[in-house]
């Protein structure tokens, strides 16, 4: 009895094993040469599929492919440069037709351009700035007159010993001059200033306080060389702007403090402040030359804005009310006065 049960169990296991396991001849030799064989893989359909197997068609159906409707955000590497490019144009116009109170038709235009390339990373800071201004006024009954003229270029290279402190060791240079001739109207024959007459160059070393947001900058230099250029023969022979008669260059060594501050004081109101204070060690120590600009930019929209600004200059080397005798001798050398300029305009501003 036991032998019969054992034989039945053996036959059952043998038949079930042959039913589930079938040897598939997938790899079939293509050549009978013993030295070189090519093996081809045959397409074999599986008899039993596992639950995790998924049969998909590897061919791509093009009519089911949809284009991207939203572009992906491309990677932009981090840049430590901050760029500023601004072009502005302010125009004011007054026109009268049969106006009982009287008046003259006039048109005024002021063009400006501001560029900045500033680099700041860890220990190094490098600021470069260029400011250009030029304005004209056309009034009925008189010739074209200049209302504003300025070229200002500056660069400051700073280095700090660690990334915690806001104080830097700095080297600064800036130059200031004008585009075209300046006249004391209505005299148009004798210019009182020209390009690089005067021209001012400041080069010095010192320390700078630059907070992380870069909106405030304080530069203190105990050693700054101020160079005054008068590259016009007529003005040089007059000894204008502090140079000796017949000379084209006047050098001074002194103490310089420069401060700039840009901040938003109200909604769409930006304030810009720049102050230069300089005194000479050798010629007139304690007599401070002042150059102060204060501007308010009122933004209406992306392209329309209004500007309100003032500019005050006091330079002891620039004299007014000079009296000259008929033989050319100077009777009264004149006195230094405060120079004041006020600006109010509405116009276009384009930044990129």
């Amino acid at each position: 009895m036991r032998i019969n049960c054992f034989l039945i169990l053996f036959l059952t296991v043998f038949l079930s094993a042959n039913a589930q396991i079938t040897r598939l001849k997938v790899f079939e030799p293509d050549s009978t040469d013993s030295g070189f064989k090519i093996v081809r893989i045959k397409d074999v359909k599986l008899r039993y599929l596992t639950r995790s197997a998924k049969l998909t068609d590897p061919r791509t159906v093009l009519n089911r492919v949809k284009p991207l409707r939203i572009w992906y955000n491309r990677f932009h590497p981090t840049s430590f440069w901050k760029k500023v490019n601004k072009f502005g144009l302010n125009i004011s116009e007054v026109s009268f037709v049969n106006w009982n109170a009287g008046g003259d038709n006039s048109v005024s235009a002021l063009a400006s351009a501001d560029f900045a390339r500033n680099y700041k990373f860890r220990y190094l800071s490098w600021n470069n700035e260029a400011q250009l201004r030029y304005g004209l006024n056309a009034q009925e009954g008189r010739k074209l007159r200049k209302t504003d003229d300025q070229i200002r270029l500056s660069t400051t290279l700073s280095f700090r010993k660690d990334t915690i402190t806001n104080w830097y060791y700095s080297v600064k240079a800036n130059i200031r001059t004008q585009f075209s001739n300046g006249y004391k109207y209505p005299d148009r024959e004798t210019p009182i200033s020209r390009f690089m007459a005067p021209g001012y160059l400041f080069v010095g070393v010192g320390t700078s306080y630059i907070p992380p947001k870069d909106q405030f900058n304080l530069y203190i230099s105990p050693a700054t060389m101020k160079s005054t250029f008068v590259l016009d023969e007529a003005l040089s022979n007059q000894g204008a702007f502090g140079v000796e008669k017949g000379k084209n260059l006047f050098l001074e060594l002194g103490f310089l403090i420069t401060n700039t501050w840009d901040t938003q004081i109200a909604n769409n109101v930006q304030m810009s402040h720049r102050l230069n204070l300089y005194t000479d060690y050798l010629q007139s120590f304690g007599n401070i030359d002042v150059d102060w600009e204060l501007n308010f930019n009122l933004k209406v929209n992306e392209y329309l804005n209004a500007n309100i600004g003032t500019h005050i200059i006091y330079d002891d080397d620039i004299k007014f009310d000079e009296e000259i005798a008929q033989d050319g001798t100077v009777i009264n050398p004149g006195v230094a006065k405060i120079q004041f300029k006020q600006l109010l305009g509405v116009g276009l501003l384009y930044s990129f």
Side-chain angles (χ1 to χ4, degrees), residues 189-292:
E189 301 296 332
T190 306
I192 60 175
S193 61
R194 291 178 179 269
F195 175 76
M196 289 303 293
Y200 300 100
L201 173 63
F202 292 85
V203 179
V205 295
T207 182
S208 298
Y209 178 75
I210 308 175
K213 294 184 179 180
D214 296 334
Q215 295 180 343
F216 182 89
N217 189 309
L218 176 64
Y219 171 75
I220 302 174
S221 172
T224 296
M225 179 70 71
K226 177 184 177 182
S227 305
T228 303
F229 297 90
V230 181
L231 304 183
D232 180 74
E233 185 177 357
L235 295 174
S236 174
N237 293 333
Q238 296 174 11
F241 308 107
V243 302
E244 297 182 7
K245 291 185 178 181
K247 302 293 183 180
N248 300 110
L249 178 62
F250 177 57
L251 298 178
E252 298 174 90
L253 178 64
F255 191 93
L256 175 66
I257 298 178
T258 300
N259 175 233
T260 58
W261 184 30
D262 293 333
T263 183
Q264 184 174 353
I265 59 176
N267 189 21
N268 293 335
V269 179
Q270 189 78 15
M271 186 195 74
S272 177
H273 149 85
R274 184 185 57 80
L275 176 65
N276 288 351
L277 303 175
Y278 180 80
T279 182
D280 178 59
Y281 287 131
L282 304 177
Q283 303 293 331
S284 56
F285 181 73
N287 190 2
I288 301 176
D289 296 337
V290 181
D291 187 352
W292 181 29

Side-chain angles (χ1 to χ4, degrees), residues 25 28 99 104 163 176-177 184 191 194 204 219 305 316:
K25 296 182 179 180
E28 184 179 75
W99 191 252
D104 294 329
T163 58
R176 177 165 52 91
T177 184
K184 188 175 182 180
R194 291 178 179 269
Y219 171 75
N305 72 328
D316 188 62

